[in-house]
Amino acid sequence: MSLSFNYIDYLVLGLYALILLYVGFRFNKKEKNQQDIFLGGRTLKWWQIGFSIFGANAGPMMLIGFASIGFTHGIVASNFELLAWVFLMLLAMVFLPYYLKTKITTIPQFLLIRFGKRSYNFLIVYSLISILVVWLGSALYAGGLLISGIFGISLFTAIAVIAVIATSFTAIGGLKAVVRTGVFQSVIIIISSVILTFLGFQKIGSVDALVSQTPESYWKLFLPASNAAYSWVGILLGYPVVAIYYWCADQTIVQKVLAARDLKEGQYGAIFIGTLKVIMPIIFILPGIMCYVLFRDTAPDNAYITMIKELMPHGLLGLSIAALIASLVDTVSSSLNSFCTVFTLDVVQQFKVLNREQQVRMGKWVTVVAAIVGVGIALLFSYSGKGFFDLTQGLVSILSPPLAVVFLWGIFWKRINGKAAEIVLYGGGFICLVLGACHVLNYPYEGYWPHFLMLSFYIFVALSVVIVAVTLLTKSEVKTEVPTLLDVKDKMGSSSSIWWTWAALATVMIAIYIYFN
């Protein structure tokens, strides 16, 4: 995996690092209040929201993992991008009006208002663990593997350097710094990926030449139900369970729209990231298919790096590695800011009321501590004995169902009460941990459990039955003024331009699915 750099590549990398730090620190003196570090003063515009979510989402797993799936299965992984618009619309038009109406700063605070303190405390613990493990630790580990392999340094050194860079401007500048650097780094990622795709086409010759040298199944978005890895049944039933939580209730993602200047800016920000999803298969998955045609003997997980190594000239090679580092730094910085927000405003505030300056000071120290813990978790991953992507997929699928059930039913049905939510969160969460561990460890034997997407769907259905049954058999213990979907339907994105834009995006997505099936 080692790459050969010359002085131009090092110059590009150095220039990238300088611009990154300049953008991260430039306007920090202007940000005085606690919302600047946690929600950026709720002043973000739609394009800042969209690019920031893109940067957090387009981490090392996407760049490396999608190219790997493209190499082995073709465009089927595009479903995870193209179908996301449905849940981004759900976020923008259903969840976001609730969130902004209550002026929450963190997602756990919504459960406090809707279901009470026990549900609130559950999500605090889950949010902190998921940010540390699924977002921060896994991103540092994946990035550390890549950076150590590319530059020939130790894994610990690579992880530590990335953590120091991301922590420096995140601790000082807060969400505003994360958003500013996210916009810059998203542009770097997109430009580099577009150039790589273009050079791949130039090498192969034409689209017809690319298609003719790959299996027909590589160009199908929906594969047969018999496909063990990515059947259409698993995608249509299982993916929504994870997507509801990931796009509508995950602190790292939703924090960006919570910081919107107003509802309309937040909704257009969600539309913007939904529109960017259209190009992601072209710039992230297509290079993996091209690698299958051009360098078939390479390992699938090395498809992205192989394309960079073989096709990018010096200078652009440095830009490509800068894009890889950008995806890593942006994911890490977003994770750190989300962790410090939840810990400072949801954990510390329960024990001691902090004034404005104390919150800012606490948030900065928590960011540093979280980074240190994240480095430790990343190093633990290296001793796990399992592949990184298997670990990540298992972690995401383990706890999504109970949270998806509680948030979705809590939004749509006012009668859902605190006791029902607590049973699903605590009881369902425990069951999901046990089933998830058995699934990841192949216990009692390999092949016993269904695909993780189907397993998530089955758990979701079972927990939905539980939350409805418990609600019907018990009385609400928590009085809430949070309305249901029907109560605020006239306030949810009433602007016709927003609905027409979603309709246009839906038309494009439907056309893509018709063409590739």
Side-chain angles (χ1 to χ4, degrees):
M1 188 185 293
S2 60
L3 304 178
S4 176
F5 292 91
N6 68 7
Y7 71 95
I8 298 178
D9 297 312
Y10 285 113
L11 181 63
V12 170
L13 284 171
L15 184 62
Y16 155 76
L18 289 175
I19 295 176
L20 171 66
L21 294 175
Y22 175 80
V23 171
F25 289 113
R26 173 66 178 85
F27 302 106
N28 290 333
K29 293 182 180 179
K30 297 181 180 180
E31 291 160 18
K32 304 294 185 182
N33 62 67
Q34 81 276 15
Q35 285 192 325
D36 282 327
I37 190 172
F38 300 122
L39 284 185
R42 296 186 190 268
T43 59
L44 298 189
K45 298 179 181 179
W46 63 268
W47 57 273
Q48 294 174 311
I49 294 168
F51 274 129
S52 184
I53 293 176
F54 175 90
N57 181 226
M61 179 182 175
M62 179 176 288
L63 294 179
I64 305 302
F66 275 1
S68 175
I69 297 174
F71 186 95
T72 55
H73 294 93
I75 66 171
V76 66
S78 302
N79 286 293
F80 296 98
E81 295 301 298
L82 299 179
L83 291 176
W85 76 271
V86 176
F87 305 96
L88 286 164
M89 184 172 70
L90 191 65
L91 167 65
M93 314 310 285
V94 177
F95 283 90
L96 185 57
Y98 288 86
Y99 295 156
L100 295 184
K101 178 181 176 63
T102 55
K103 296 188 180 298
I104 61 172
T105 307
T106 67
I107 295 301
Q109 290 171 8
F110 177 76
L111 287 192
L112 176 63
I113 297 171
R114 182 66 177 88
F115 296 119
K117 195 164 186 178
R118 285 192 290 266
S119 296
Y120 167 65
N121 286 332
F122 175 91
L123 192 52
I124 289 174
V125 174
Y126 170 75
S127 296
L128 294 176
I129 293 174
S130 65
I131 292 170
L132 282 176
V133 178
V134 178
W135 282 95
L136 185 57
S138 61
L140 284 172
Y141 175 55
L145 288 175
L146 293 170
I147 301 303
S148 63
I150 291 171
F151 294 101
I153 59 180
S154 70
L155 178 63
F156 174 77
T157 301
I159 292 174
V161 168
I162 294 298
V164 169
I165 293 174
T167 304
S168 60
F169 59 79
T170 305
I172 296 176
L175 184 65
K176 276 291 185 70
V178 172
V179 170
R180 284 196 300 268
T181 57
V183 172
F184 164 65
Q185 298 190 116
S186 295
V187 172
I188 294 292
I189 294 168
I190 292 172
I191 291 175
S192 172
S193 299
V194 167
I195 292 173
L196 182 63
T197 302
F198 172 77
L199 293 177
F201 269 123
Q202 195 174 52
K203 183 77 171 180
I204 293 173
S206 65
V207 175
D208 290 338
L210 176 65
V211 174
S212 65
Q213 297 180 67
T214 52
E216 184 180 355
S217 63
Y218 270 42
W219 305 101
K220 299 290 184 182
L221 283 169
F222 286 149
L223 298 180
S226 58
N227 186 282
Y230 298 102
S231 75
W232 68 270
V233 178
I235 289 173
L236 289 185
L237 295 182
Y239 171 70
V241 178
V242 179
I244 288 171
Y245 174 71
Y246 183 87
W247 292 112
C248 301
D250 184 271
Q251 178 69 28
T252 304
I253 294 295
V254 179
Q255 187 168 339
K256 276 71 174 180
V257 294
L258 291 180
R261 184 170 60 183
D262 52 39
L263 175 60
K264 190 173 181 180
E265 291 290 341
Q267 290 174 328
Y268 273 119
I271 291 174
F272 182 45
I273 183 62
T275 304
L276 288 177
K277 292 292 179 183
V278 176
I279 69 170
M280 288 188 185
I282 300 174
I283 62 177
F284 292 151
I285 296 174
L286 200 56
I289 301 176
M290 293 176 173
C291 187
Y292 173 83
V293 172
L294 296 172
F295 314 106
R296 197 164 299 185
D297 293 334
T298 193
D301 284 347
N302 291 336
Y304 185 81
I305 297 298
T306 298
M307 288 288 286
I308 290 175
K309 179 180 179 180
E310 299 294 336
L311 299 184
M312 286 293 205
H314 290 295
L316 290 180
L317 178 62
L319 180 66
S320 298
I321 300 306
L324 196 60
I325 297 174
S327 71
L328 174 60
V329 170
D330 205 49
T331 300
V332 172
S333 61
S334 293
S335 306
L336 289 171
N337 184 250
S338 296
F339 186 92
C340 90
T341 299
V342 173
F343 191 89
T344 303
L345 301 184
D346 289 325
V347 177
V348 177
Q349 289 287 97
Q350 292 193 48
F351 300 96
K352 182 180 180 181
V353 178
L354 303 178
N355 60 33
R356 180 177 302 179
E357 293 183 0
Q358 290 173 326
Q359 285 182 334
V360 173
R361 191 182 307 114
M362 175 65 71
K364 292 179 178 180
W365 280 109
V366 168
T367 300
V368 174
V369 173
I372 295 172
V373 175
V375 170
I377 293 173
L379 292 175
L380 287 177
F381 274 135
S382 65
Y383 296 100
S384 66
K386 295 187 70 69
F388 166 72
F389 296 110
D390 290 337
L391 278 170
T392 304
Q393 287 179 340
L395 290 169
V396 172
S397 64
I398 283 172
L399 284 179
S400 290
L403 292 161
V405 167
V406 168
F407 272 86
L408 200 60
W409 280 99
I411 287 290
F412 280 91
W413 193 18
K414 195 170 187 176
R415 189 173 173 181
I416 297 293
N417 57 52
K419 185 171 291 294
E422 291 163 20
I423 290 175
V424 168
L425 289 173
Y426 286 93
F430 175 76
I431 292 172
C432 286
L433 282 172
V434 174
L435 292 179
C438 292
H439 184 268
V440 171
L441 297 173
N442 295 316
Y443 180 84
Y445 55 84
E446 187 173 358
Y448 179 83
W449 299 101
H451 189 273
F452 75 92
L453 287 174
M454 290 304 301
L455 184 59
S456 293
F457 173 72
Y458 296 146
I459 297 172
F460 177 84
V461 172
L463 293 180
S464 292
V465 172
V466 170
I467 200 170
V468 171
V470 174
T471 295
L472 294 175
L473 295 172
T474 59
K475 293 183 179 180
S476 177
E477 297 179 356
V478 178
K479 293 183 178 180
T480 174
E481 297 180 357
V482 179
T484 64
L485 172 63
L486 297 178
D487 295 327
V488 294
K489 62 182 180 180
D490 59 326
K491 300 177 182 179
M492 291 184 178
S494 56
S495 171
S496 59
S497 61
I498 293 177
W499 284 111
W500 279 114
T501 307
W502 280 118
L505 181 58
T507 302
V508 172
M509 293 298 186
I510 291 171
I512 291 173
Y513 271 87
I514 292 175
Y515 184 81
F516 285 101
N517 284 290

